[in-house]
Amino acid sequence: MNSFETVKRYKNLSESPVSLLDRTYEMIENDDLNDYITLTKNIAYEEAYKSEKRYKEGNPLSELDGVLFSIKDNIAVENIRMTCGSKILSDFISPYNATAVERIMKKGGIIVGKTNMDEFAMGSSNETSYFGPVKNPKNKDYVPGGSSGGSAASVASGHACISIGSDTGGSIRQPASFCGCVGFKPTYGTISRYGLTAFSSSLDTVGIASNCVADSKLAFEAVRGRDEHDSTIEDKKNDKRNYKKIGYISVIKHMDGPVREVYEKRISQLSDAFVLEEVAMDFIDVSISTYQIQTMCESSSNLARFDGIKYGLQPKEGKTLRKIYSAVRGEGFGSEVKRRILIGTYFLTERDGEYYELSFKLRDYIANQIDLLFTKVDAIVLPTSLTLPFRFDEKTTSPLQMHLSDSLTAFANLSNVPAISLNGGYIDNLPCGIQLVAKRNDDDNLLEFASTAEEIWSKNE
Amino acid sequence: MSNLLPTIGLEVHAQVKSRSKIFCRCAVEFSNKPNINVCPVCMGFPGAMPSLNSEVVKQAVRAGLALNCEINIVSGFARKNYYYPDLPKGYQITQFKKPIAERGYIILSNKKRIRIRRLHIEEDTGKMIHDQDEDTLIDFNRAGVPLIEIVTEPDFESAEEAVDYMTRIREILRYTGVSDANMERGELRGEPNISVRKTSDSPLGTKTEIKNLNSLKAIEKGINFEIDRQSKLVAEGFEVASETMLYNDKKQEVYPMRKKESASEYRYFIEPDLPDLVLKEDFVSSMKGTLGELPEVRRERLIKQYSVSRDESWILTSEKTLADFFERSVANTGAGKRIVNFFIREIPALLNEKNVDAEKLLFTPEDLNSLLREIEREAVNLNSAQTILKRMAQTGESSEKIIRDLNLRQTNDEEKVKQLISETLAENQKEVERYRKGEEKLFGVLVGFCMKKAKGSVSPASINKHLKEMLK
């Protein structure tokens, strides 16, 4: 499903938003992907009827009017449950809309439901969700990736046209790669985070999953820009220009053979239109530990608010404060979340938080290296993930293996640059994503480049 | 047993005067209804983010300037992490490594200079309320209310100095309008840290911090109690533990509350949701012009301009509103000793009696001005003026009306005065006889009789003058 075709049918009245919604809900309910945690039928139909009326009057709000959106369940929709994939928020109703949601709705977008995710976005396979794992729509024995597994799966399976998710270290790009769709992480500070439940505030970005680059572009235009609620939005845009030189890497540690095969094929297909230049990205090695320290430290603080006092899971017993906290947090958080909170608390406490400060120095180093690369090339093309989708429980016993899933994506968050994952093809019916990365605030140019690459690759299938 | 030498520092929290909270638009008001001024931001709901209220920045810069601080053009926010039910996010947004102002000072009334280490912006917490059923309730109205924290160097050597510092801070915050600084409402809170040592050469002892000191009196009592307690411990050979102490207002004693936290236990780190606070140089310099006259400068000026004593200048400047009231009341008069003294004697006492601020009196400085003019040209005597003032304060009537109603205007018309005196002398012939026979001390008694009969309508000076002549 893409928005262009949907809107075309709406315009010639061969389809109505209400009937599309009917069909979509039927499909979701007959499917066992588990990509949604909550379906938002009431608000969806309310908006669909309004949208239908606008099309009948020949007066749609925008190119997104009536387009079906899914929203990752860590992004607030007013009066709708927001669980963040956790038991601790399993009954929490958000009293307000996230800025991104507000802006989508203003354009006439219809919110189908809230998508499943790794608990508090901590995971790369969607297996840490309290609401159970999501199945990969391309092969149900495999994980959809994470943490925005539900978002990518919902889009790839036609359960939504576009999904608004989040990307802290690859959480929109890696599941897009695993599900065979597009996943876009913009420059940090481009889309308001207001209403996005914080995982690691200095790295979190709102991300977009869709079936084509054009849809990511449309959604990005709708949600980007300054917001009085988020002071970290800078809203800087680089001048428009066409990319000429594209960087690629030849040596990537731990990369699976099939991924290399797809990558090499896709790189060579770009050689007609672009000048290719081999680049080194040695900083990838330090990016994972840097990423771990930053996210664990920040999340230990960001998740402190879930204490059973104001909202969320209520303590069944516990007379003293300490007992209330341990009862609620002990029962409410899953083991991956607890593990990260503990490690983050340790890193912030030991040596007066020196580790966290050091991780910022490493971030600066990585950002400098990236800046240097972009003096030589306009964009870098590399695989999104070292591996193809893996089977359920294949990596859950080894957190370190799981963390390697972020190897090729986290550096973009650490250096605040935009990146987009496109489907590069399939090996044994398993999708393999290829990632395009550009310099800071070059989001529009990157999306242009991604459209071109998408076109070249689809011609050379 | 004599106490050891105390070393005291103070952390002062002042609520910044602002219509809305520091990171959201909820109203700041003193209210009895709990949890009405709250929103996702100040309640720490998932996804909510802070956005800084620029009014708070302005007031913090003004406070910094008024306290002779250097203003940091770039300052930043940090998270102070700890768990407590009244702390909605599980961390307090404050300034840690880069406060908005540093290295200031304040001069105490004994002329001692107290160094201010830093002044920073932060958010207040909610309030825990323990009800009769021993349930604990939480009111988040106060959560996110803007505060400035002012930290001194350990420059105080007595509780009196600390109390004087609190008074000076309160005065400056009120003069500049940064804070209402009302201690009873918790708008100004002082937390002293105290250590003792044997001589001024010995290294500083282990310090404790006292919380819950909600009045100047409590600060004084609490510090003195703690100095005694520590001195006894040291004298008996024990060590002072690094603790946070809690003051019990009823017993006027302090008790250990918990082990004192070190900075690393708060896991401070840069607040990623707020960019650095960058001020423009010309913004800072423009704030200098908004401070108005600070209390110490005003005292110096009052001493010069109205020839009041240093003590009197302190009385007049104790509140900015009083000093303003004073200057407006004596405007366009000669501001002579007679009316300045009248003001200093009567008005502060009146405010004290009514327990109100000068602005809340039933009469205006302009009303008082007309009474003072009457006093100045001796049209009413001071006793009458006191009566008139009381009535003005009770009814809000103008001094002219009261003078008319009570017939209190003095006359200096010679004929009338002479007539009054001759009538009085006629009524008191015995005393007149005795005086004339040489009992000169009866002169005063006769003046008294005249005054009584005149009911304030004649000035004592003119009775004196004429009586002497008429008794010859």
Side-chain angles (χ1 to χ4, degrees), chain A residues 153-219:
Chain A
S154 71
V155 167
S157 60
H159 293 174
C161 181
I162 301 171
S163 189
I164 304 296
S166 65
D167 189 314
T168 304
S171 273
I172 199 85
R173 287 164 286 159
Q174 186 255 21
S177 170
F178 280 19
C179 294
C181 64
V182 174
F184 173 49
K185 169 215 123 49
T187 302
Y188 181 87
T190 312
I191 302 177
S192 170
R193 287 183 289 126
Y194 187 70
L196 165 65
T197 306
F199 161 26
S200 182
S201 315
S202 75
L203 296 161
D204 291 340
T205 55
V206 169
I208 299 161
S210 61
N211 285 307
C212 59
V213 176
D215 277 357
S216 279
K217 219 188 275 184
L218 266 182

Side-chain angles (χ1 to χ4, degrees), chain B residues 443-460:
Chain B
F443 182 75
V445 176
L446 288 167
V447 171
F449 288 146
C450 294
M451 293 287 287
K452 202 172 169 190
K453 190 169 181 71
K455 286 177 187 151
S457 66
V458 179
S459 74

Side-chain angles (χ1 to χ4, degrees), chain A residues 267-284:
Chain A
I267 283 289
S268 69
Q269 287 168 355
L270 295 177
S271 63
D272 284 348
F274 301 95
V275 178
L276 298 179
E277 187 174 325
E278 190 181 333
V279 293
M281 296 179 75
D282 300 335
F283 52 83
I284 282 179

Side-chain angles (χ1 to χ4, degrees), chain B residues 320-364:
Chain B
K320 180 172 184 287
T321 47
L322 177 62
D324 290 345
F325 203 93
F326 168 72
E327 295 209 77
R328 281 167 67 190
S329 303
V330 299
N332 302 316
T333 69
K337 257 285 124 336
R338 201 171 151 80
I339 62 174
V340 169
N341 284 347
F342 178 79
F343 187 97
I344 293 171
R345 198 171 55 237
E346 300 298 333
I347 302 298
L350 184 67
L351 296 177
N352 205 21
E353 179 198 318
K354 305 247 176 218
N355 194 20
V356 292
D357 197 73
E359 287 171 327
K360 298 277 158 61
L361 285 170
L362 285 185
F363 55 87
T364 65

Side-chain angles (χ1 to χ4, degrees), chain A residues 240 277 306:
Chain A
K240 191 172 157 34
E277 187 174 325
F306 305 114

